[in-house]
Amino acid sequence: MATSTLPQHRANDVLRSEAASLDLQAMQQQQALQHERNLEDRSLRQCKEDHARKVQDEAAASKRVLDEMREVRNKVHSQMRAAKAIGFHDTIVAGTALARAGHRAMSARGEADHWKAHATSTEEHGRKSQAREVDALSVVTDTCKQRTAAAKQHAEDRVSKSYQLTQLAKDQCGAIHQQGHMHVEVQERQAARQSDL
């Protein structure tokens, strides 16, 4: 009777040892799965942070382009105002010269010819000056249009690149997430098979 009880105790001890070993393996597998989940969460957070940083950089670049466009527009408007002021001043000078010439012509016919020639010269100078200002304004306007078109194209290119980077980040994050889920499912199936054993 004692001899039959001893092997039974030994068998129970073996079963307990195997059960404890299986429990330890299951706990280790569970810890490994939890570690994998933590790594996946950390990777997803890093992807989100990188994506947010890229979006902020692109937004800052777009803002700089818009600021440059505003600065160019303000410069052009300032040059246009200066050109108008110069033309207006030249017109006033020519009108004043003509008025003085007319006043002096009433008192002396000899001086009338002189002042008429002077007024004509001043008027011609005013027309030439105005023509130069119009040409300069045309050049400035064309330059502004070219720089504005280039800045707009640059902004559109940056927006397109931002969209491509955003789509790439989303695809990468989705792939990482899918791969993590597949890995976790495989680990869980393996753990389930080992626990069934």
Side-chain angles (χ1 to χ4, degrees):
M1 187 70 176
T3 55
S4 63
T5 304
L6 185 58
Q8 185 175 2
H9 282 306
R10 288 181 181 174
N12 288 338
D13 290 340
V14 170
L15 289 175
R16 286 193 198 94
S17 176
E18 290 178 354
S21 177
L22 290 174
D23 288 340
L24 180 60
Q25 290 179 0
M27 185 176 66
Q28 289 175 348
Q29 289 176 355
Q30 186 177 5
Q31 289 175 352
L33 288 174
Q34 185 63 38
H35 180 66
E36 291 291 333
R37 290 192 187 99
N38 293 338
L39 289 177
E40 180 185 356
D41 291 341
R42 192 178 303 117
S43 177
L44 288 174
R45 282 197 301 272
Q46 185 65 38
C47 284
K48 289 180 180 177
E49 290 174 0
D50 292 342
H51 175 64
R53 189 163 42 254
K54 289 178 181 177
V55 169
Q56 289 177 354
D57 292 342
E58 293 298 327
S62 299
K63 185 179 182 301
R64 283 195 299 273
V65 170
L66 291 176
D67 291 340
E68 289 177 2
M69 291 173 64
R70 289 192 191 97
E71 185 179 355
V72 170
R73 183 189 62 190
N74 292 336
K75 286 182 179 179
V76 170
H77 287 173
S78 177
Q79 291 174 352
M80 289 175 64
R81 286 193 295 271
K84 288 180 180 178
I86 292 172
F88 184 68
H89 178 265
D90 290 342
T91 302
I92 291 175
V93 169
T96 304
L98 286 172
R100 275 200 302 264
H103 180 69
R104 290 178 181 179
M106 293 175 63
S107 61
R109 261 193 97 143
E111 283 190 344
D113 294 336
H114 170 73
W115 284 109
K116 185 177 180 181
H118 181 69
T120 302
S121 175
T122 304
E123 188 176 5
E124 182 65 20
H125 175 72
R127 281 197 296 268
K128 289 180 180 178
S129 177
Q130 187 174 9
R132 285 196 303 270
E133 293 300 331
V134 169
D135 291 340
L137 180 61
S138 176
V139 171
V140 170
T141 302
D142 292 340
T143 303
C144 176
K145 287 180 180 179
Q146 292 174 3
R147 290 187 66 180
T148 302
K152 184 177 179 182
Q153 183 63 40
H154 182 67
E156 290 175 355
D157 293 340
R158 295 297 292 269
V159 170
S160 176
K161 184 178 179 182
S162 174
Y163 176 78
Q164 292 175 0
L165 290 173
T166 301
Q167 191 63 36
L168 180 62
K170 286 172 63 178
D171 294 341
Q172 289 177 350
C173 288
I176 292 173
H177 188 68
Q178 182 66 27
Q179 185 179 5
H181 274 297
M182 293 175 60
H183 185 67
V184 169
E185 289 177 0
V186 169
Q187 293 289 335
E188 288 177 350
R189 285 197 295 270
Q190 289 179 354
R193 282 197 296 268
Q194 289 182 3
S195 63
D196 290 337
L197 293 176

